[in-house]
C-alpha cells in the first residue's frame, strides 16, 4: 500500500486501523467538537501541515481533524518504536502521506522526516523537536514560508527554549506542552497509566511488594510514582531539583540519590528528560533481575552503550524484554570479597530498547487524555494561522497559548464527560476583585 514502508500494509491492517481509530474517536469527544467547527470554518484552507508525532490511533484523529479544517497533511513518526502499523495502513488508505513503521531504522526515521520536510509545510507539529531541528539544520531555505510550529512534549520545549536562547530559532513555535490541559493531564494521568501498561504488557510482572525506583518527579514522574504506589509497590524517587524532591518526600515516598537506590530497586523507570540518569556505576550496583524501563522522550536516559560493553551476553526473552548478562568473571576473584564473587554473574532486563515504554510495548496514553493534548495542538495550529495570515504578527520565539484556550478545552471536555460546575455569583466576583473586605 505504501512505497516508503518496507512492511507490507494489508487491507486487514487497514480494517483494524479503521476500528481502532473509530474507537479512539468515540473517546475523544472534545477533539471531535473542534473537528465539527473546523469542518465549517476551514482555518487551514490552502495550508500544508507537516507532522512528526507518534503514529497512533489518537494521532490519526488529530490528523483527520486538521484535514477537516482544510489542511493537507504529511506525517512521520517521532520515535522509531512507537508506530501502530494498522494506523499507518488506515491513514495511507485515506490518502494521507504517512511515513512510518514500527521498528524503523535510524536511517528510515530521518528519511521519513525528510519526506515530511519535502512536503514543504506551512505549519509543523512536532513531538521532541526533531522536525524543527532538521528543518533548521538542513532545509533553512524553507523557513520563510513556515508560519509557525507546535511542540507536544517537555523535551521538545526544552530544546526549543535552548534554540531561542541561542538566537537559533527561526520561526515561532507554540509550546503546547505548557497548556495546563496538556501537562497536568497527559503527563500525569497519561504517563502514569500508560507507563505501567507498557511495563506490565512487556513483563507480566506483579507490582505489589516490588521496590520501584522512579527517576524524576516532574508531572510524568509524579503520575508513575502514584500508580506504582496504588498497585502496592514501595516507591523510591530520585531527583536533582530540591523543591520536587521535597514534594516527593511529603507525598510519602523515599527520596535518595540513584547510587543509593540502585541496589534496592526491582524496577527502575526514568522520566527525567536527561541523559545517563542510569549509568554504568548504578547498573553495577543493581540486583540480579532488576528491570530497567524509560518513559522519557529519548532513549538516552539509560546508558545502554555502557550496558552493552559490560554485558557478556544479550538475549530477547520476549517482545520488548532484553536480558543482559553481566559477569564479573573477567575480574579475578578477590578472596576478601567473599566466596561467591566468581559466581556473581547477574542479569538485568531492559524493556523496549530503552525507548518510551508506554508506546514501545503498549499503545501510549489512552484516547481520553490525548483528546486534551490534541485539542491543544489543533487550537495552537489555528492560533498560528490566525496570527500569521494575512500579516505575520509573531516573532521567532517559543509561545504559550493564552489561558482562555485552556479554559475552552477544559469546558469542552467537562461537557463531553457530562460534568457541570458552579459559576461565581455577582457578589463573589466583586469580593474576589476587591480589597476592602477583611476579618
Ligand atoms: N504520546 C503518548 N501517548 C500517545 C498517543 N496515544 N498518541 C500520540 N502521542 C502519544
Amino acid at each position: 500500500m505504501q512505497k516508503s514502508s518496507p512492511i507490507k500494509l494489508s487491507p486487514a491492517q487497514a480494517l483494524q486501523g479503521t476500528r481502532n481509530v473509530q474507537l479512539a474517536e468515540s473517546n475523544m469527544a472534545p477533539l471531535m467538537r473542534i473537528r465539527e467547527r473546523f469542518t465549517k470554518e476551514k482555518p487551514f484552507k490552502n495550508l500544508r501541515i507537516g507532522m512528526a508525532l507518534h503514529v497512533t490511533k489518537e494521532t490519526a484523529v488529530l490528523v483527520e481533524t486538521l484535514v477537516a479544517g482544510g489542511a493537507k497533511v504529511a506525517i512521520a513518526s517521532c520515535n522509531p518504536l512507537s508506530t501502530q502499523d494498522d494506523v499507518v495502513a488506515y491513514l495511507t488508505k485515506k490518502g494521507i502521506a504517512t511515513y512510518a513503521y514500527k521498528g524503523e531504522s535510524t536511517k528510515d526515521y530521518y528519511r521519513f522526516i525528510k519526506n515530511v520536510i519535502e512536503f514543504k509545510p506551512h505549519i509543523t507539529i512536532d513531538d521532541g523537536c526533531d522536525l524543527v531541528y532538521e528543518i533548521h539544520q538542513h532545509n533553512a531555505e524553507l523557513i520563510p514560508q513556515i508560519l509557525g510550529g507546535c511542540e507536544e512534549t517537555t523535551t521538545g520545549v526544552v530544546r526549543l527554549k535552548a534554540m531561542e536562547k541561542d538566537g537559533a530559532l527561526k520561526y515561532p513555535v507554540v509550546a503546547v506542552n505548557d497548556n495546563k490541559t496538556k501537562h497536568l493531564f497527559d503527563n500525569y494521568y497519561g504517563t502514569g497509566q500508560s507507563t505501567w501498561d507498557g511495563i506490565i504488557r512487556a513483563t507480566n510482572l506483579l507490582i505489589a511488594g516490588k521496590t520501584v525506583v522512579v527517576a524524576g518527579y516532574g508531572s510524568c514522574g509524579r503520575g508513575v510514582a502514584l500508580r506504582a504506589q496504588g498497585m502496592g509497590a514501595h516507591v523510591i524517587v530520585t531527583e536533582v531539583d530540591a523543591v520536587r524532591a521535597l514534594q516527593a518526600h511529603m507525598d510519602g515516598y523515599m527520596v535518595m540519590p540513584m547510587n543509593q537506590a540502585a541496589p534496592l530497586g526491582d524496577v527502575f523507570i526514568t522520566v527525567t528528560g536527561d541523559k545517563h540518569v542510569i549509568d554504568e556505576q548504578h547498573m553495577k550496583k543493581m540486583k540480579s533481575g532488576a528491570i530497567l524501563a524509560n518513559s522519557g522522550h529519548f532513549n538516552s536516559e539509560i546508558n545502554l552503550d555502557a550496558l552493552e560493553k559490560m554485558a557478556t551476553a544479550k538475549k530477547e526473552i520476549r517482545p520488548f524484554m532484553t536480558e543482559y548478562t553481566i559477569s564479573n568473571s573477567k575480574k579475578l576473584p578477590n578472596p576478601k570479597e567473599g566466596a561467591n564473587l566468581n559466581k556473581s554473574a547477574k542479569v538485568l532486563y531492559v524493556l523496549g530498547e530503552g525507548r518510551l515504554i508506554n508506546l514501545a510495548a503498549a499503545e501510549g496514553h489512552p484516547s481520553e487524555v490525548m483528546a486534551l493534548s490534541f485539542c491543544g495542538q489543533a487550537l495552537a495550529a489555528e492560533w498560528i494561522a490566525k496570527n500569521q495570515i494575512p500579516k505575520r504578527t509573531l516573532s521567532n520565539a517559543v509561545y504559550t497559548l493564552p489561558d482562555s484556550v485552556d479554559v475552552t478545552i477544559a469546558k469542552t471536555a467537562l461537557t463531553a464527560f457530562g460534568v457541570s460546575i458552579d459559576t461565581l455569583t455577582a457578589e463573589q466576583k466583586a469580593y474576589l476583585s476587591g480589597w476592602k473586605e477583611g476579618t
Side-chain angles (χ1 to χ4, degrees):
M1 277 171 89
Q2 184 186 275
K3 285 194 203 94
S4 54
S5 175
I7 57 157
K8 206 165 174 330
L9 297 170
S10 65
Q13 271 179 309
L15 179 61
Q16 184 59 63
T18 308
R19 290 182 176 152
N20 277 333
V21 173
Q22 282 170 355
L23 179 64
E25 281 177 350
S26 71
N27 286 320
M28 297 179 85
L31 187 59
M32 297 303 281
R33 289 190 182 202
I34 291 178
R35 185 187 289 182
E36 275 166 34
R37 180 170 67 75
F38 280 3
T39 305
K40 288 185 214 126
E41 297 177 7
K42 303 282 177 216
F44 307 119
K45 195 168 161 235
N46 299 326
L47 294 183
R48 288 184 296 275
I49 300 184
M51 302 168 76
L53 287 187
H54 302 293
V55 183
T56 65
K57 58 189 184 306
E58 290 76 24
T59 301
V61 180
L62 173 63
V63 167
E64 293 198 278
T65 300
L66 302 172
V67 169
K72 285 205 165 49
V73 174
I75 179 166
S77 184
C78 62
N79 184 298
L81 214 48
S82 64
T83 298
Q84 295 166 6
D85 289 334
D86 61 323
V87 174
V88 177
Y90 168 80
L91 287 172
T92 306
K93 197 171 163 213
K94 285 265 172 161
I96 312 281
T98 308
Y99 307 100
Y101 64 93
K102 191 169 182 84
E104 61 199 32
S105 61
T106 307
K107 195 166 156 229
D108 278 349
Y109 175 81
Y110 283 106
R111 185 163 64 87
F112 293 163
I113 288 200
K114 194 156 184 280
N115 288 139
V116 170
I117 296 173
E118 282 164 359
F119 178 70
K120 298 194 168 76
H122 299 104
I123 295 176
T124 59
I125 300 186
D126 230 338
D127 185 335
C129 188
D130 278 347
L131 180 55
V132 168
Y133 176 79
E134 288 298 304
I135 289 171
H136 279 68
Q137 271 314 94
H138 305 298
N139 294 91
E141 75 286 355
L142 296 182
I143 290 177
Q145 66 150 37
I146 298 180
L147 303 171
C150 312
E151 171 54 54
E152 171 79 3
T153 201
T154 319
T155 295
V157 173
V158 169
R159 283 177 93 183
L160 286 163
K161 288 192 174 155
M163 285 175 82
E164 182 185 18
K165 190 162 162 255
D166 284 354
L169 184 64
K170 301 295 178 206
Y171 65 83
V173 183
V174 177
V176 174
N177 182 69
D178 293 355
N179 289 358
K180 288 196 200 103
T181 47
K182 199 284 183 178
H183 66 267
L184 296 180
F185 297 86
D186 172 310
N187 303 24
Y188 184 64
Y189 301 103
T191 308
Q193 177 169 322
S194 63
T195 298
W196 284 108
D197 186 12
I199 293 172
I200 292 169
R201 287 198 210 191
T203 62
N204 196 29
L205 190 77
L206 179 76
I207 311 305
K210 296 290 190 305
T211 297
V212 170
V213 180
V214 180
Y217 205 62
S219 313
C220 295
R222 278 199 287 277
V224 172
L226 181 77
R227 297 311 178 207
Q229 191 182 46
M231 285 187 284
H234 308 285
V235 180
I236 298 175
V237 170
T238 70
E239 244 306 338
V240 292
D241 179 293
V243 176
R244 287 179 174 183
L246 186 60
Q247 272 183 307
H249 174 69
M250 294 212 183
D251 283 343
Y253 304 119
M254 286 176 282
V255 179
M256 62 185 77
M258 185 58 86
N259 252 325
Q260 282 174 30
L264 306 177
D266 297 304
V267 183
F268 293 81
I269 304 160
T270 53
V271 256
T272 68
D274 209 340
K275 71 186 289 196
H276 298 175
V277 177
I278 294 183
D279 215 341
E280 182 174 347
Q281 51 171 346
H282 307 124
M283 292 186 277
K284 279 187 172 155
K285 289 186 173 175
M286 286 177 186
K287 295 192 267 199
S288 186
I291 293 171
L292 280 61
N294 167 52
S295 217
H297 185 79
F298 287 119
N299 60 338
S300 51
E301 302 212 14
I302 303 168
N303 189 346
L304 288 175
D305 289 341
L307 182 58
E308 295 273 345
K309 282 194 195 118
M310 283 157 71
T312 52
K314 176 180 172 185
K315 72 172 174 253
E316 286 303 312
I317 297 295
R318 49 193 254 139
F320 312 114
M321 186 173 192
T322 309
E323 180 190 83
Y324 288 84
T325 305
I326 300 167
S327 155
N328 285 338
S329 58
K330 284 181 218 154
K331 199 170 127 188
L332 283 175
N334 173 353
K336 283 192 199 143
E337 283 182 38
N340 65 352
L341 182 72
N342 55 352
K343 289 195 223 137
S344 63
K346 72 173 180 187
V347 294
L348 294 180
Y349 297 105
V350 173
L351 305 187
E353 300 169 20
R355 296 195 186 275
L356 278 163
I357 192 59
N358 58 350
L359 283 140
E363 292 169 74
H365 304 345
S367 308
E368 293 89 330
V369 92
M370 289 314 296
L372 302 180
S373 313
F374 285 166
C375 280
Q377 288 289 5
L379 297 181
E382 184 186 35
W383 186 82
I384 290 168
K386 278 193 176 146
N387 282 285
Q388 297 286 74
I389 304 172
K391 195 165 164 287
R392 296 199 178 207
T393 64
L394 304 175
S395 40
N396 299 338
V398 180
Y399 284 87
T400 306
L401 290 180
D403 250 5
S404 56
V405 174
D406 266 331
V407 174
T408 306
I409 296 172
K411 281 189 174 166
T412 319
L414 286 171
T415 308
F417 298 148
V419 178
S420 35
I421 59 171
D422 285 324
T423 45
L424 293 172
T425 61
E427 183 192 20
Q428 288 171 327
K429 270 191 200 159
Y431 178 78
L432 288 176
S433 56
W435 49 273
K436 289 190 178 156
E437 268 188 77
T439 310

